[in-house]
Amino acid sequence: MSDLIPARPEFLSLFPPEARVTRLAGGFTWAEGPTYVPSRRGVVFSDVRQNRTWRWTDAGTLEEELHPSDHQNGHCLDAQGRLVACSHGRRALLRQEEAGGEWTVLADRFGGRRLNSPNDVTLHPDGSLWFSDPTYGLDKPEEGYGGEKEQPGNFVYRLAPDGTLTAPIRDRRMPNGLAFQSPDLLLLADTGKGDGHIHAYRVTPDGEATYDRIWATVRPGKTDGLRVDEAGRVWSSAGDGVHVLSPQGEELGRVAVPETVANLCFGGPQGTDLYLTASTGLYHVPTRVRGRG
């Protein structure tokens, strides 16, 4: 079976003719949270359950970043290009000023209570960081250090550029991957039992969020991580690979991967390489598009 499975003819135009899925590295337990860091010329990603982070370089080498990593999961870059991480173990949102440097705690409490286990994070064009906070690091001993839940729910938080922390979204079971399709529309995956949809929220300039609708549903499996390209298409992880959705949420096609994909990112020297963290492996497929942001 081809690696690229079109549902609509335009899907194949998103890839060069020779595009194939390549497994770059393996031996992981639950690969997650990839983000391309231009200053480091590589993709930083997590193995949440092995308590490590790694970097796959543009030169094609695999280098260990952190061990232990305090069960880091999702990553993104902030408005200044610094690496931001969600740490299940430290129950915190962290930032690293430079490669190999110390990690600064950006947020670890809300309303005087400890966060659950920050899971994934994305940057809004206004410089704020939005991150999800389900309980996987508390519920699963292989994904965190455990502990008591202190928050009254599983929220999505907004860290403003001035450091103010708010919780604009409080109605999800297990909020997970998230990405802005536009400055006023946030897409959010819920991996809670009985859910598994991508939900849309309308976002105001002052950081408020209002539920809009179920934006799309991916099957088999469910959306965990997602990315948006420059044309507004959504690239969603799934049980059988990556599903590419139109800006309106209609399936354009699928990138078939032999493992469950947890997350993905665009990167590489030209920004057109798609990297996939899928269970035990890190995969790659070339594209003709670039990620937004």
Side-chain angles (χ1 to χ4, degrees), residues 55-76:
R55 180 168 63 101
W56 178 267
T57 72
D58 290 343
T61 61
L62 182 67
E63 300 180 0
E64 186 176 86
E65 287 269 305
L66 290 173
H67 183 222
S69 67
D70 291 316
H71 297 281
Q72 286 187 12
N73 192 325
H75 298 89
C76 78

PDB file of all heavy atoms in Angstrom, residues 55-76:
ATOM      1  N   ARG A  55      17.216  14.618  20.262  1.00  0.00           N
ATOM      2  CA  ARG A  55      17.260  15.545  19.128  1.00  0.00           C
ATOM      3  C   ARG A  55      17.742  14.789  17.899  1.00  0.00           C
ATOM      4  O   ARG A  55      18.786  14.140  17.929  1.00  0.00           O
ATOM      5  CB  ARG A  55      18.193  16.724  19.410  1.00  0.00           C
ATOM      6  CG  ARG A  55      18.277  17.740  18.248  1.00  0.00           C
ATOM      7  CD  ARG A  55      18.978  19.010  18.705  1.00  0.00           C
ATOM      8  NE  ARG A  55      20.352  18.745  19.101  1.00  0.00           N
ATOM      9  CZ  ARG A  55      21.413  18.998  18.323  1.00  0.00           C
ATOM     10  NH1 ARG A  55      21.264  19.513  17.113  1.00  0.00           N
ATOM     11  NH2 ARG A  55      22.634  18.732  18.756  1.00  0.00           N
ATOM     12  N   TRP A  56      16.918  14.878  16.826  1.00  0.00           N
ATOM     13  CA  TRP A  56      17.330  14.351  15.528  1.00  0.00           C
ATOM     14  C   TRP A  56      17.844  15.533  14.718  1.00  0.00           C
ATOM     15  O   TRP A  56      17.108  16.480  14.446  1.00  0.00           O
ATOM     16  CB  TRP A  56      16.170  13.667  14.808  1.00  0.00           C
ATOM     17  CG  TRP A  56      16.574  13.156  13.454  1.00  0.00           C
ATOM     18  CD1 TRP A  56      16.447  13.809  12.258  1.00  0.00           C
ATOM     19  CD2 TRP A  56      17.229  11.920  13.174  1.00  0.00           C
ATOM     20  NE1 TRP A  56      16.973  13.047  11.243  1.00  0.00           N
ATOM     21  CE2 TRP A  56      17.447  11.878  11.778  1.00  0.00           C
ATOM     22  CE3 TRP A  56      17.634  10.840  13.959  1.00  0.00           C
ATOM     23  CZ2 TRP A  56      18.064  10.800  11.152  1.00  0.00           C
ATOM     24  CZ3 TRP A  56      18.239   9.760  13.333  1.00  0.00           C
ATOM     25  CH2 TRP A  56      18.457   9.740  11.954  1.00  0.00           C
ATOM     26  N   THR A  57      19.116  15.505  14.354  1.00  0.00           N
ATOM     27  CA  THR A  57      19.748  16.651  13.721  1.00  0.00           C
ATOM     28  C   THR A  57      19.529  16.648  12.214  1.00  0.00           C
ATOM     29  O   THR A  57      19.234  15.615  11.599  1.00  0.00           O
ATOM     30  CB  THR A  57      21.256  16.657  13.997  1.00  0.00           C
ATOM     31  OG1 THR A  57      21.887  15.610  13.237  1.00  0.00           O
ATOM     32  CG2 THR A  57      21.548  16.466  15.480  1.00  0.00           C
ATOM     33  N   ASP A  58      19.718  17.825  11.603  1.00  0.00           N
ATOM     34  CA  ASP A  58      19.637  17.928  10.150  1.00  0.00           C
ATOM     35  C   ASP A  58      20.719  17.087   9.476  1.00  0.00           C
ATOM     36  O   ASP A  58      20.578  16.720   8.304  1.00  0.00           O
ATOM     37  CB  ASP A  58      19.798  19.386   9.717  1.00  0.00           C
ATOM     38  CG  ASP A  58      18.602  20.244  10.106  1.00  0.00           C
ATOM     39  OD1 ASP A  58      17.538  19.682  10.414  1.00  0.00           O
ATOM     40  OD2 ASP A  58      18.734  21.488  10.101  1.00  0.00           O
ATOM     41  N   ALA A  59      21.785  16.776  10.210  1.00  0.00           N
ATOM     42  CA  ALA A  59      22.863  15.945   9.665  1.00  0.00           C
ATOM     43  C   ALA A  59      22.536  14.459   9.712  1.00  0.00           C
ATOM     44  O   ALA A  59      23.305  13.629   9.228  1.00  0.00           O
ATOM     45  CB  ALA A  59      24.166  16.213  10.417  1.00  0.00           C
ATOM     46  N   GLY A  60      21.372  14.118  10.332  1.00  0.00           N
ATOM     47  CA  GLY A  60      20.943  12.729  10.354  1.00  0.00           C
ATOM     48  C   GLY A  60      21.467  11.918  11.511  1.00  0.00           C
ATOM     49  O   GLY A  60      21.625  10.696  11.403  1.00  0.00           O
ATOM     50  N   THR A  61      21.716  12.564  12.651  1.00  0.00           N
ATOM     51  CA  THR A  61      22.186  11.854  13.836  1.00  0.00           C
ATOM     52  C   THR A  61      21.178  12.017  14.971  1.00  0.00           C
ATOM     53  O   THR A  61      20.468  13.025  15.054  1.00  0.00           O
ATOM     54  CB  THR A  61      23.555  12.370  14.299  1.00  0.00           C
ATOM     55  OG1 THR A  61      23.449  13.773  14.635  1.00  0.00           O
ATOM     56  CG2 THR A  61      24.592  12.182  13.202  1.00  0.00           C
ATOM     57  N   LEU A  62      21.139  11.020  15.851  1.00  0.00           N
ATOM     58  CA  LEU A  62      20.271  11.045  17.018  1.00  0.00           C
ATOM     59  C   LEU A  62      21.121  11.347  18.239  1.00  0.00           C
ATOM     60  O   LEU A  62      22.094  10.633  18.520  1.00  0.00           O
ATOM     61  CB  LEU A  62      19.569   9.699  17.188  1.00  0.00           C
ATOM     62  CG  LEU A  62      18.593   9.594  18.360  1.00  0.00           C
ATOM     63  CD1 LEU A  62      17.377  10.502  18.151  1.00  0.00           C
ATOM     64  CD2 LEU A  62      18.151   8.140  18.557  1.00  0.00           C
ATOM     65  N   GLU A  63      20.765  12.395  18.977  1.00  0.00           N
ATOM     66  CA  GLU A  63      21.527  12.809  20.149  1.00  0.00           C
ATOM     67  C   GLU A  63      20.607  12.917  21.357  1.00  0.00           C
ATOM     68  O   GLU A  63      19.512  13.462  21.255  1.00  0.00           O
ATOM     69  CB  GLU A  63      22.213  14.155  19.886  1.00  0.00           C
ATOM     70  CG  GLU A  63      23.175  14.128  18.710  1.00  0.00           C
ATOM     71  CD  GLU A  63      23.851  15.458  18.465  1.00  0.00           C
ATOM     72  OE1 GLU A  63      23.571  16.430  19.223  1.00  0.00           O
ATOM     73  OE2 GLU A  63      24.663  15.545  17.524  1.00  0.00           O
ATOM     74  N   GLU A  64      21.072  12.396  22.481  1.00  0.00           N
ATOM     75  CA  GLU A  64      20.283  12.500  23.708  1.00  0.00           C
ATOM     76  C   GLU A  64      20.352  13.919  24.239  1.00  0.00           C
ATOM     77  O   GLU A  64      21.424  14.517  24.315  1.00  0.00           O
ATOM     78  CB  GLU A  64      20.811  11.515  24.754  1.00  0.00           C
ATOM     79  CG  GLU A  64      19.941  11.456  26.000  1.00  0.00           C
ATOM     80  CD  GLU A  64      20.421  10.401  26.984  1.00  0.00           C
ATOM     81  OE1 GLU A  64      21.302  10.713  27.808  1.00  0.00           O
ATOM     82  OE2 GLU A  64      19.920   9.264  26.911  1.00  0.00           O
ATOM     83  N   GLU A  65      19.200  14.451  24.633  1.00  0.00           N
ATOM     84  CA  GLU A  65      19.121  15.792  25.208  1.00  0.00           C
ATOM     85  C   GLU A  65      19.113  15.736  26.731  1.00  0.00           C
ATOM     86  O   GLU A  65      19.960  16.315  27.390  1.00  0.00           O
ATOM     87  CB  GLU A  65      17.865  16.504  24.706  1.00  0.00           C
ATOM     88  CG  GLU A  65      17.920  16.942  23.261  1.00  0.00           C
ATOM     89  CD  GLU A  65      18.469  18.348  23.115  1.00  0.00           C
ATOM     90  OE1 GLU A  65      17.945  19.287  23.746  1.00  0.00           O
ATOM     91  OE2 GLU A  65      19.439  18.509  22.359  1.00  0.00           O
ATOM     92  N   LEU A  66      18.105  15.052  27.307  1.00  0.00           N
ATOM     93  CA  LEU A  66      17.944  15.003  28.755  1.00  0.00           C
ATOM     94  C   LEU A  66      17.624  13.594  29.218  1.00  0.00           C
ATOM     95  O   LEU A  66      16.817  12.905  28.601  1.00  0.00           O
ATOM     96  CB  LEU A  66      16.788  15.911  29.198  1.00  0.00           C
ATOM     97  CG  LEU A  66      16.944  17.419  29.108  1.00  0.00           C
ATOM     98  CD1 LEU A  66      15.624  18.082  29.434  1.00  0.00           C
ATOM     99  CD2 LEU A  66      18.033  17.904  30.043  1.00  0.00           C
ATOM    100  N   HIS A  67      18.255  13.177  30.311  1.00  0.00           N
ATOM    101  CA  HIS A  67      17.911  11.930  30.989  1.00  0.00           C
ATOM    102  C   HIS A  67      18.386  12.042  32.433  1.00  0.00           C
ATOM    103  O   HIS A  67      19.582  12.042  32.685  1.00  0.00           O
ATOM    104  CB  HIS A  67      18.562  10.723  30.306  1.00  0.00           C
ATOM    105  CG  HIS A  67      18.153   9.412  30.946  1.00  0.00           C
ATOM    106  ND1 HIS A  67      19.044   8.396  31.171  1.00  0.00           N
ATOM    107  CD2 HIS A  67      16.954   8.997  31.411  1.00  0.00           C
ATOM    108  CE1 HIS A  67      18.409   7.387  31.741  1.00  0.00           C
ATOM    109  NE2 HIS A  67      17.143   7.725  31.904  1.00  0.00           N
ATOM    110  N   PRO A  68      17.474  12.178  33.377  1.00  0.00           N
ATOM    111  CA  PRO A  68      16.018  12.182  33.206  1.00  0.00           C
ATOM    112  C   PRO A  68      15.518  13.522  32.659  1.00  0.00           C
ATOM    113  O   PRO A  68      16.163  14.561  32.841  1.00  0.00           O
ATOM    114  CB  PRO A  68      15.490  11.952  34.617  1.00  0.00           C
ATOM    115  CG  PRO A  68      16.550  12.562  35.496  1.00  0.00           C
ATOM    116  CD  PRO A  68      17.862  12.274  34.811  1.00  0.00           C
ATOM    117  N   SER A  69      14.370  13.465  32.021  1.00  0.00           N
ATOM    118  CA  SER A  69      13.766  14.672  31.457  1.00  0.00           C
ATOM    119  C   SER A  69      12.595  15.166  32.295  1.00  0.00           C
ATOM    120  O   SER A  69      11.919  16.114  31.888  1.00  0.00           O
ATOM    121  CB  SER A  69      13.272  14.387  30.039  1.00  0.00           C
ATOM    122  OG  SER A  69      12.191  13.458  30.067  1.00  0.00           O
ATOM    123  N   ASP A  70      12.334  14.529  33.434  1.00  0.00           N
ATOM    124  CA  ASP A  70      11.142  14.810  34.237  1.00  0.00           C
ATOM    125  C   ASP A  70       9.883  14.611  33.402  1.00  0.00           C
ATOM    126  O   ASP A  70       8.917  15.351  33.521  1.00  0.00           O
ATOM    127  CB  ASP A  70      11.186  16.218  34.838  1.00  0.00           C
ATOM    128  CG  ASP A  70      12.258  16.346  35.910  1.00  0.00           C
ATOM    129  OD1 ASP A  70      12.374  15.424  36.745  1.00  0.00           O
ATOM    130  OD2 ASP A  70      12.999  17.354  35.902  1.00  0.00           O
ATOM    131  N   HIS A  71       9.941  13.575  32.548  1.00  0.00           N
ATOM    132  CA  HIS A  71       8.787  13.161  31.741  1.00  0.00           C
ATOM    133  C   HIS A  71       8.217  14.325  30.930  1.00  0.00           C
ATOM    134  O   HIS A  71       7.013  14.574  30.924  1.00  0.00           O
ATOM    135  CB  HIS A  71       7.710  12.538  32.621  1.00  0.00           C
ATOM    136  CG  HIS A  71       8.144  11.289  33.319  1.00  0.00           C
ATOM    137  ND1 HIS A  71       8.203  10.068  32.687  1.00  0.00           N
ATOM    138  CD2 HIS A  71       8.570  11.070  34.594  1.00  0.00           C
ATOM    139  CE1 HIS A  71       8.627   9.156  33.542  1.00  0.00           C
ATOM    140  NE2 HIS A  71       8.861   9.731  34.707  1.00  0.00           N
ATOM    141  N   GLN A  72       9.114  15.042  30.235  1.00  0.00           N
ATOM    142  CA  GLN A  72       8.619  16.065  29.310  1.00  0.00           C
ATOM    143  C   GLN A  72       7.761  15.410  28.236  1.00  0.00           C
ATOM    144  O   GLN A  72       7.985  14.279  27.827  1.00  0.00           O
ATOM    145  CB  GLN A  72       9.783  16.820  28.673  1.00  0.00           C
ATOM    146  CG  GLN A  72      10.463  17.787  29.608  1.00  0.00           C
ATOM    147  CD  GLN A  72      11.508  18.647  28.914  1.00  0.00           C
ATOM    148  OE1 GLN A  72      11.584  18.695  27.694  1.00  0.00           O
ATOM    149  NE2 GLN A  72      12.327  19.322  29.693  1.00  0.00           N
ATOM    150  N   ASN A  73       6.785  16.186  27.762  1.00  0.00           N
ATOM    151  CA  ASN A  73       5.900  15.713  26.700  1.00  0.00           C
ATOM    152  C   ASN A  73       5.948  16.713  25.550  1.00  0.00           C
ATOM    153  O   ASN A  73       6.867  16.701  24.751  1.00  0.00           O
ATOM    154  CB  ASN A  73       4.488  15.510  27.249  1.00  0.00           C
ATOM    155  CG  ASN A  73       3.590  14.750  26.294  1.00  0.00           C
ATOM    156  OD1 ASN A  73       3.689  14.887  25.076  1.00  0.00           O
ATOM    157  ND2 ASN A  73       2.699  13.943  26.822  1.00  0.00           N
ATOM    158  N   GLY A  74       4.953  17.607  25.438  1.00  0.00           N
ATOM    159  CA  GLY A  74       4.887  18.522  24.310  1.00  0.00           C
ATOM    160  C   GLY A  74       5.898  19.655  24.398  1.00  0.00           C
ATOM    161  O   GLY A  74       6.312  20.051  25.496  1.00  0.00           O
ATOM    162  N   HIS A  75       6.266  20.172  23.222  1.00  0.00           N
ATOM    163  CA  HIS A  75       7.190  21.300  23.117  1.00  0.00           C
ATOM    164  C   HIS A  75       6.679  22.297  22.083  1.00  0.00           C
ATOM    165  O   HIS A  75       5.914  21.938  21.191  1.00  0.00           O
ATOM    166  CB  HIS A  75       8.581  20.843  22.676  1.00  0.00           C
ATOM    167  CG  HIS A  75       9.261  19.910  23.607  1.00  0.00           C
ATOM    168  ND1 HIS A  75       9.105  18.538  23.528  1.00  0.00           N
ATOM    169  CD2 HIS A  75      10.108  20.124  24.647  1.00  0.00           C
ATOM    170  CE1 HIS A  75       9.834  17.961  24.476  1.00  0.00           C
ATOM    171  NE2 HIS A  75      10.442  18.893  25.173  1.00  0.00           N
ATOM    172  N   CYS A  76       7.152  23.529  22.197  1.00  0.00           N
ATOM    173  CA  CYS A  76       6.999  24.515  21.133  1.00  0.00           C
ATOM    174  C   CYS A  76       8.084  25.562  21.325  1.00  0.00           C
ATOM    175  O   CYS A  76       8.861  25.495  22.297  1.00  0.00           O
ATOM    176  CB  CYS A  76       5.603  25.149  21.130  1.00  0.00           C
ATOM    177  SG  CYS A  76       5.312  26.422  22.379  1.00  0.00           S
TER     178      CYS A  76
END
